[in-house]
Amino acid sequence: MDHGRVRRADGAAVTDPPGRERVFVTRSLPDAWLAPLRDAGLEVEAAASDAAMPGPELRARAAGASALLVQLDDHVDADVLDAAGPALRVVATFSVGTDHLDLEACRARGVAVVHTPDVLTDATADQAWALLLAVARRLREGRALIAGGDWDGWSPTRLLGTDLGGRTLAIVGLGRIGTAVAARARAFGMEVAYHGPRPHPERAEPLAARFEPDLDALLEAADVVSLHAPLTAATHHLLDARRLALLPPHAIVVNVGRGALVDERALVAALTAGRLGGAALDVFEDEPRVPAELLGLANVEVAPHQGSATTGTRAAMAALCTRGILEALGR
Ligand code: DGY
């Protein structure tokens, strides 16, 4: 293996001593999160910036690395893997989603993939519920009323929201996060129905969740639909214009998964035409771009992909990434 010259984050060229393996981290991360790598004697090169790394820079800086620690907006394809070269043994992504990684290309090159399931389940489910409740209870309009100085006191008829108890939550994808969102729904007195490639009785039965094999039928019966399928070619635009039209006009769409699960243009069209009850969105098709129309709608709550953004969850995600890298490198 060629331990040739690499470039540190500060731009200085250094020569790794033979046998010293390098981890390239595509984003500036807290030192404490990366400490396990350094403590194990690895050379850790982290980007100086918190911004997404352009593809050419990622390819250049990955060269010669034994491990990459990437973010969900780093596209790790065959070109990146080839640019990294034969030293590369593991790609760890700071996310549960792996849609930005070419898993087949990793497999073909014997590169292990590490992601961060489980530890972000509760934080992400909480975020879905935070956004859903904000839409159902019109929190944004209430805040605007106060901030605008227009609140003139108690009113029995102002800002009436939607009761969720007794309504049906349709979950698309009863995986970890879908199940956690459903469990919270039961605590709010909602009925749960779900769709996916197959039933999951072990998850569904404790929640009295009903499997609906027909996605269209699930949507027709939904008061709220929450999307938790992984983003793949098969689930891209799963909620397209035709399926959005199946939802009852009062239905609220929740998405804390991946933006492209929904045809965003069709969603904007349905919302602006008043054909939907609202939308609670943590993710978007072309992040960080958010359609301006969404921002003007009172029944739409948006967040900048914050599902896993709690202090404890992000530290736990970092720990999974570093542990996975160390295991893959045999440390
Ligand atoms: C993930 O981990 O895939 C999430 O989208 C991050 O919040």
Side-chain angles (χ1 to χ4, degrees):
M1 176 174 120
D2 177 13
H3 293 281
R5 292 174 74 75
V6 296
R7 202 157 279 280
R8 289 185 197 273
D10 61 7
V14 295
T15 303
D16 278 350
R20 189 117 192 261
E21 292 179 297
R22 186 169 64 97
V23 182
F24 178 57
V25 183
T26 61
R27 211 56 73 86
S28 160
L29 298 178
D31 277 346
W33 291 3
L34 301 175
L37 301 175
R38 294 202 173 91
D39 292 349
L42 295 167
E43 169 83 15
V44 179
E45 178 191 334
S49 157
D50 197 25
M53 181 165 285
E57 186 182 351
L58 173 57
R59 289 193 288 278
R61 296 182 72 177
S66 299
L68 301 179
L69 201 173
V70 305
Q71 301 293 321
L72 54 79
D73 49 4
D74 294 317
H75 296 281
V76 180
D77 54 14
D79 288 346
V80 171
L81 299 173
D82 290 341
L88 186 68
R89 281 149 70 195
V90 55
V91 174
T93 180
F94 196 84
S95 62
V96 66
T98 55
D99 48 283
H100 54 301
L101 309 179
D102 185 337
L103 298 179
E104 191 42 52
C106 290
R107 232 184 323 269
R109 289 159 182 77
V111 173
V113 172
V114 171
H115 70 144
T116 63
D118 299 317
V119 295
L120 49 64
T121 299
D122 285 327
T124 309
D126 288 349
Q127 177 76 350
W129 268 90
L131 293 170
L132 171 56
L133 287 170
V135 173
R137 299 305 304 273
R138 305 177 65 174
L139 297 190
R140 175 183 167 163
E141 293 166 87
R143 185 185 168 94
L145 191 74
I146 294 173
D150 297 323
W151 187 34
D152 55 5
W154 154 260
S155 159
T157 55
R158 184 191 295 128
L159 290 180
L160 305 184
T162 302
D163 292 307
L164 293 174
R167 300 291 182 100
T168 296
L169 169 66
I171 296 275
V172 181
L174 198 70
R176 301 175 189 87
I177 297 171
T179 303
V181 169
R184 285 154 178 73
R186 294 297 289 159
F188 277 89
M190 295 188 81
E191 303 297 325
V192 177
Y194 73 102
H195 173 83
R198 69 195 74 81
H200 289 287
E202 74 292 352
R203 294 175 190 160
E205 275 166 19
L207 302 171
R210 175 177 64 80
F211 179 63
E212 174 51 75
D214 178 356
L215 177 56
D216 289 1
L218 182 88
L219 297 174
E220 281 166 352
D223 297 301
V224 177
V225 59
S226 194
L227 304 172
H228 301 285
L231 179 61
T232 64
T235 61
H236 184 265
H237 286 188
L238 180 91
L239 212 48
D240 57 9
R242 184 189 70 78
R243 288 205 172 110
L244 283 165
L246 297 175
L247 289 164
H250 64 269
I252 299 172
V253 173
V254 180
N255 191 4
V256 296
R258 285 292 180 269
L261 292 171
V262 185
D263 179 340
E264 200 167 82
R265 289 177 63 161
L267 178 67
V268 169
L271 286 163
T272 49
R275 284 187 273 113
L276 275 179
L281 306 170
D282 192 54
V283 289
F284 304 89
E285 266 207 83
D286 184 23
E287 295 177 5
R289 192 194 62 82
V290 176
E293 297 95 317
L294 292 178
L295 304 180
L297 294 171
N299 57 347
V300 175
E301 200 67 46
V302 295
H305 205 146
Q306 266 177 280
S308 63
T310 70
T311 309
T313 297
R314 289 281 164 88
M317 291 165 70
L320 277 188
C321 286
T322 54
R323 193 180 320 144
I325 290 172
L326 294 176
E327 277 173 17
L329 297 183
R331 301 286 178 140

